[in-house]
Every structure is written in C-alpha cells, then in structure tokens.
Amino acid sequence: MHRSLARRAALAVVGLLALAPAAQAATSSSRATLTNSTPDWATPNAQVGSVPDSAQHTFWVYLSMRNSKALDAAIAAATNPASAGYGKYLTPDQFRARYAPTDADVAAVRAYLKQSGFAVSADRPDNNRWVKASGTTAQVEQAFKTQLRTYQHRGKTLQAPNGDLSIARSISSRIAGIAGLDGSDRLMRPDTADAPPAPAFVNAPPCSTSWGEKYAVDDEGNPTVPPAYGQQFLPYATCGYTPNQLQGAYGTKASVAGGLDGHGQTVAIVDAFASPTIEQDANQYATTHGQPAVDFSQITPEDRSNDPIGGPDQCDAQGWYGEETLDVEAVHAMAPGAHVLFVGGADCLDESLIDAVNKIVDGGLAQIVSNSYGNLGETGEDAGLRQAWNDTFRQAALEGIGMYFSSGDSGDEVDNLGHAEADFPASHPLVTAVGGTSLGVSSSDGYLFETGWGTTSSTLTDGAWDPAPPGDHIYGSGGGTSLFYAEPDYQKPVVPKKLAKANGGKPARVVPDVSLVGDPNTGMLIGQTQTFPDGTTKYSEYRLGGTSLSSPLMAGVMALADQQAGRHHGFANPALYAQYGTPAYRDTVAPDQPIAVVRNDYVNSVDATDGIKTTLRTFDQTESLHTTPGYDDVTGVGSPNGQRFLAALAAAAAR
C-alpha cells in the first residue's frame, strides 16, 4: 500500500507546455514564425505532390488568451485541494472579462487577414477564441511564406505546409496558432474498439451473461476448443454487461438505489454528428434494463453533408452514431439521475470538435464532459490545434468543468506508428485520461477481478489456435509518456520516474490517470437502431467496448461524486491523485496466470449464413506498456472503488 497523499500541498498544475518549443520565434525584424506549424509527418520523403494555386482552403486562426501567466496561476489555485482558492471557479462571463481575447483583438486579426486577401467569416464564438477565413493556395503561400504540398501519411494523401508558417510581427502577440492548412485535423477518430460497421452487428452465441457462466464444452462436458495456457476448459466471452452489473462491480448500486444517482448534475458528451435515433434507443435500453428514462437533450451540429473534407462520407457518420449511443447509455448506466447533454461536432475534424467543446465551456452548459475520441499519437497533431485545445481546457479548468478523454484503443501505438506514443488530447495535463481494463463480474453483480486491457487474438484453424497463444495484438488501453507536456505537479509524487522519463530528458506527463472497463470481450451491452441485410431497421442490442466506454463510465461516476460532495470537482486530477494508495481505488494488477476467453463472431456480422469465426482472446497483453502494482501506464492509479471513492472525494472537497 502506498502512503496517502491527501494532504500533500504541492499539487498545482504547472509546466503545461514546458516540453514544447516556444509558440513563436523571430525570422526577421518584421515577421515571426509559428513554430511547429508543420506536422512531423510532412517530411520530404513523404511528399508526393503539390497543391494547385487555385485550390480553396478554409482555416482557423486561434487567438491568444490574455494574462496567460495569471490564468495558469488561477487554475493551479482553483484545482488544488490544498489551496485556499480550491473550488473558487469563474463564470463564463468572468472568464471572458479577465482572460479571453477582446473585440479589439478580433478586429485586428480580421483586418490583417483581409489585407492578405482572405475572405473572413463573420461568425465567431462569444469568447472570441478564433477567426475563420478562406482563400486560395496562392494566397496562403504568399501570406504565410510557405508552400502547400501533399504527403502520404497513414494511408491517406494529406496536404501540409512544407515549412513553418510566418506572420507579421505586428499581429503575432494576438495569434496563438493557425489550423486547417494541413491534414492533421482529419486524423481524429472515435476510441471504440470492435465498433460495428454501418450495417447491423449481432453477438454470436454462445456468450456469458456473467464471468464464466458458459464454457466451451459440449453437452457431455468435453472441451470443444484446444487447451491454452495449461487450461483445458476455457470460458466464453461475455455478452456485454448491463447497468446493474456495472454498478454492482464498481460498488455504486446501493448508492444509486438510495438516491445518489447523479441527480442535479449535467454530463455533456461530445462526438461528431448526431444519431437520429439516440433518444428512442437510449430510452428503450433504459426500460429494458430497469432504469428510469434518460433526462436528455441534444445540440444538433450544423449540416455539412456537402463538405468534401469532413463530411459524413469522409468521417463515417454512422460509425459515430454508435459512438454516441455507447456514450449516452454508459453515462446513464452509472448516473441514471443525471441530465445528459449531447453536443455534436459538425464533422470529425478537430476544429469542429473544439467548437463543440467550446460551446459547452463558454456556455457553462455542463460541469463534466466526456470525450471518446482522439488522435493516434501526439505527433500527428500540429501546434495550432494543440494550442487551440490547450486554451479550451484552460477555460474549462477555471470554470470548474472536468474534461474526461478516453486514453486510446491502440495500446502504445507501435502497431500504427512503429514507435511508442501516447494519444492526444488524452495526454494534455488539464484533462483526465481514462484507460481501459478487462473486468470480471460475478453472477450476483459482484467484482471478481480487473486487469489491464490489452488483447491478443488466435484463430481456431484446423483444430488448433493460429498463431499459437497469445497470438497477434489487436487492441488495448492507450497509455505512455508524453512527447510534448512536462510532468504536472499532481503526478510527481505518484508516477514512477522510469515512466516519467521514458523518453529521456526531463520528466513528462504520463497517461492514463484512472481506468474502468474497456475490453470489448468484457464490454457493455448497448442498444441501437441498426440496419439489417434485408433492409429493415430495428432496435437491437450488442456488446461494445474501448476506452470510449471507460470515459463515459468515469463521467457517470464523477456525477455521483459531485452530487455527494455538493460541489463540482471540475478538473479532478489533483484530487484524484491525492487519494492514490488509499481504499478509494482498486489497484489493477496483472493476473497471476494468463486469462483468456473464447469468442465467436458471425463472419457476416449478423447471422451464421456465412459461418462463424472462433478466436481465443488473451488478456493483459499490453506491448511496451505494463500493468503493475501501484501507478502504471495501462490503468493509471487504478479503478474507482465505489462508495469509498465517492466518500474520499467528498471529504477532500469539504476541507
């Protein structure tokens, strides 16, 4: 057991961008460079072509916050449980008056862009965060002293500047970054493992309603699959846990039954697009599983059906519908009394998702925000977008709004990138990164075990597992050490130095922070209207997982925590880490011996017409990440331990 850090004073949030180069550097007496405005993937070797001079481009100029040092100091005080200023948050109006860009800043940036020949949109958010403009390739190259080229990256052809952008020094103090001139914003995707395609997905039997309910045996008790890890009898994967099972496993069922159900709290969810059947699906799911109707509202995104870059055809809108369904039903599963607000991005581009989050933050629409999407690694995101996210998170923190992000579903990203990276925005120090676990729930809804989520797969072929177990890595909880962000103070007493310094140099931010179930093989049963091969659409239920499940589950738990404390925890990481090593968490560790399940899947996703594929899924196969006692880069500080977790946060908030 690690010593409690509940009374430790040094938990301020500092060094948010300490590992990143300065935002601007001089190139001449009259111009300044926006450092890192060319993404890492835009290398000469990856270049494949040029961009026509007449091609049109829409981009966003993000304005700098005012009084930046004072803002960071205010955030540190308001989020530190040991500070006299803890919990003293600002309203959106107060934040704008002290820190947001002014109308004069906006006017100056607009004038500069118009002078450069760009068309400038009249639309802007109430907090003056950005100005939207458009122009031709020739205008962009002349205004920003760069050249636009096309590059091959992750199977896509993406445009990017071949050198950092530069701007007039006279305007540089007002500009935090520029986004939209490269393809980084097209790399955002939902963190949902085993996400079904647009057509229907149906669980293939057999599957277990609780851990180990069914084993791969025939009617006479003989094994029907080869042994693995010295075990002759292997359990089937679960069919998907229900709200009662998840509340029971995480120790909140009695609290919810007693009225600690998130009443009076608002949890916002941000995804791209908006499912047309979400309310009826969520309410049918709630009715089926004995929950009250969902207190739900939705801000529908603008129609961009004709957008050639971020429109539905480019962003798999129907896949995002499944993401929204999972998020809404997961929050409601843990906090059935909370109001759930969905805010949809107009498309899957960063700029649209930032816009959606900004609506919540600048409108004070919720105190908890769950975001189940991310970029594969940090280096795919350009500096302009990182700065735009950074300022959004700063405003949220000082207004007492907690930002929760799924940590990713690709483990250390080696399979995708060839080297280890943490995912972004989960790696940002002002968000709570939620990792995934594999969870065993008993027939009485009790907690049996939990281990780090990292899955390998072997296929049953000619009576043998191929490849031999553990097989090929397919997915797992995102984690790792940041390449851009310094180690925040709240992690210094907790995170092992070997993790913080894994990339060499100064200690850095490590993710995740906390974890809940994410493994699809022990995932959640969700209900959604789906389209079946005969052309009919109907409601059906199927198992789904990913850290897209973990994040909204944690958001639901925090709604209970806010209700019990009688206040908003806002950015909760300092408070969460202050309870490290106490009974507030279950420490997630590696199993003593390998755990594996047998899983059946329909080849055509809906029925046995085209056959059934049988695989062996092995748990806690986490590549270069490791599930260890204490803090680790798969599960963070562990998983919340029911009423002990809620009581610990309430006590800390009362001091």
Side-chain angles (χ1 to χ4, degrees):
M1 180 66 67
H2 297 266
R3 64 187 179 88
S4 170
L5 300 172
R7 298 187 181 277
R8 188 176 182 95
L11 287 170
V13 181
V14 297
L16 297 185
L17 293 169
L19 293 188
Q24 297 168 352
T27 55
S28 72
S29 59
S30 62
R31 298 190 69 82
T33 297
L34 296 177
T35 308
N36 281 352
S37 49
T38 301
D40 288 359
W41 46 262
T43 64
N45 288 340
Q47 184 175 315
V48 293
S50 59
V51 181
D53 286 349
S54 60
Q56 288 287 326
H57 308 275
T58 298
F59 58 94
W60 288 254
V61 179
Y62 291 97
L63 278 66
S64 299
M65 292 290 190
R66 292 178 293 129
N67 306 317
S68 188
K69 290 184 179 180
L71 171 56
D72 287 339
I75 292 169
T79 60
N80 181 359
S83 168
Y86 181 53
K88 295 181 179 179
Y89 304 126
L90 300 186
T91 66
D93 285 342
Q94 290 171 327
F95 184 93
R96 287 187 218 113
R98 299 182 193 184
Y99 302 112
T102 65
D103 290 345
D105 293 329
V106 172
V109 172
R110 285 174 57 85
Y112 176 74
L113 292 170
K114 287 182 177 180
Q115 290 168 6
S116 299
F118 297 116
V120 181
S121 172
D123 296 335
R124 61 176 178 176
D126 291 341
N127 57 353
N128 291 336
R129 286 285 315 287
W130 59 80
V131 172
K132 186 177 178 181
S134 60
T136 66
T137 300
Q139 289 171 322
V140 167
E141 292 181 343
Q142 174 61 32
F144 300 124
K145 307 304 179 189
T146 190
Q147 294 176 316
L148 296 182
R149 296 291 184 261
T150 57
Y151 300 85
Q152 280 293 312
H153 181 60
R154 298 182 190 168
K156 300 176 182 287
T157 300
L158 303 175
Q159 74 175 32
N162 66 355
D164 284 339
L165 311 181
S166 76
I167 54 177
R169 177 166 295 282
S170 60
I171 200 71
S172 63
S173 64
R174 289 184 161 104
I175 295 179
I178 298 174
L181 294 176
D182 67 57
S184 296
D185 56 3
R186 298 189 223 176
L187 301 175
M188 200 65 75
R189 82 281 183 255
D191 283 322
T192 305
D194 278 10
F201 179 86
V202 177
N203 290 344
C207 57
S208 298
T209 57
S210 59
W211 178 259
E213 181 214 14
K214 291 185 174 69
Y215 278 75
V217 296
D218 60 21
D219 292 341
E220 297 179 353
N222 299 309
T224 57
V225 298
Y229 306 112
Q231 301 172 44
Q232 194 172 18
F233 300 100
L234 298 167
Y236 276 111
T238 61
C239 306
Y241 294 133
T242 64
N244 274 339
Q245 289 178 297
L246 292 168
Q247 289 177 21
Y250 285 114
T252 61
K253 183 188 287 189
S255 298
V256 169
L260 186 65
D261 60 359
H263 182 76
Q265 314 305 311
T266 297
V267 179
I269 293 165
V270 174
D271 290 311
F273 308 107
S275 169
T277 61
I278 182 59
E279 192 161 9
Q280 67 193 57
D281 289 344
N283 280 324
Q284 182 165 349
Y285 181 83
T287 298
T288 300
H289 296 285
Q291 289 191 297
V294 184
D295 178 9
F296 179 80
S297 61
Q298 180 167 263
I299 297 176
T300 305
E302 63 184 279
D303 180 15
R304 291 192 187 169
S305 56
N306 295 319
D307 187 341
I309 297 177
D313 291 342
Q314 298 297 314
C315 289
D316 182 21
Q318 290 178 298
W320 283 91
Y321 295 167
E323 176 62 60
E324 178 185 355
T325 304
L326 172 64
D327 292 352
V328 171
E329 292 175 0
V331 168
H332 190 62
M334 299 306 283
H339 175 65
V340 180
L341 169 67
F342 178 79
V343 182
D347 51 43
C348 65
L349 304 185
D350 279 78
E351 294 87 349
S352 295
L353 294 169
I354 291 169
D355 186 16
V357 176
N358 190 68
K359 283 185 175 74
I360 299 166
V361 172
D362 199 52
L365 303 181
Q367 291 70 49
I368 299 168
V369 185
S370 179
N371 304 267
S372 292
Y373 50 86
N375 202 319
L376 295 175
E378 293 179 304
T379 56
E381 195 80 284
D382 72 22
L385 288 170
R386 281 201 302 272
Q387 187 61 45
W389 281 113
N390 178 62
D391 287 343
T392 303
F393 300 148
R394 293 165 89 195
Q395 182 170 353
L398 197 49
E399 290 181 8
I401 300 172
M403 286 286 164
Y404 296 82
F405 270 84
S406 51
S407 70
D409 290 354
S410 301
D412 60 10
E413 295 294 0
V414 168
D415 291 348
N416 294 310
L417 305 179
H419 60 272
E421 281 191 31
D423 283 6
F424 180 86
S427 63
H428 194 283
L430 282 178
V431 309
T432 300
V434 188
T437 65
S438 301
L439 174 69
V441 182
S442 73
S443 58
S444 58
D445 300 346
Y447 180 96
L448 289 177
F449 71 87
E450 206 166 9
T451 190
W453 171 39
T455 306
T456 52
S457 179
S458 302
T459 302
L460 184 59
T461 306
D462 296 329
W465 297 119
D466 182 33
D472 297 323
H473 184 267
I474 53 175
Y475 44 45
S477 176
T481 305
S482 175
L483 296 168
F484 292 100
Y485 299 109
E487 182 177 40
D489 280 3
Y490 58 78
Q491 285 198 320
K492 290 179 180 178
V494 171
V495 175
K497 291 301 179 187
K498 67 179 181 179
L499 292 180
K501 301 186 74 171
N503 295 325
K506 295 180 179 179
R509 161 84 160 130
V510 184
V511 293
D513 297 305
V514 68
S515 57
L516 290 92
V517 62
D519 185 351
N521 304 289
T522 65
M524 179 177 168
L525 192 69
I526 74 164
Q528 182 185 6
T529 298
Q530 300 187 87
T531 302
F532 286 79
D534 62 2
T536 62
T537 58
K538 61 183 178 181
Y539 172 90
S540 62
E541 297 186 349
Y542 60 93
R543 175 190 57 233
L544 199 54
T547 52
S548 278
L549 169 60
S550 312
S551 180
L553 289 178
M554 185 64 190
V557 171
M558 290 306 297
L560 308 185
D562 282 6
Q563 181 187 3
Q564 177 155 327
R567 63 175 298 278
H568 302 131
H569 287 87
F571 172 57
N573 282 13
L576 296 178
Y577 278 83
Q579 301 304 323
Y580 171 72
T582 75
Y585 299 106
R586 291 187 175 107
D587 187 11
T588 307
V589 297
D592 292 334
Q593 59 183 17
I595 299 174
V597 295
V598 178
R599 173 169 161 170
N600 284 347
D601 286 285
Y602 293 126
V603 172
N604 64 11
S605 298
V606 292
D607 59 37
T609 302
D610 298 323
I612 293 176
K613 179 181 179 180
T614 300
T615 56
L616 182 76
R617 304 294 178 91
T618 303
F619 294 0
D620 199 50
Q621 303 299 301
T622 55
E623 301 180 293
S624 68
L625 309 177
H626 300 285
T627 309
T628 64
Y631 179 93
D632 62 63
D633 53 8
V634 179
T635 66
V637 295
S639 62
N641 189 14
Q643 186 54 45
R644 291 182 175 183
F645 173 82
L646 302 177
L649 288 193
R655 285 200 298 271

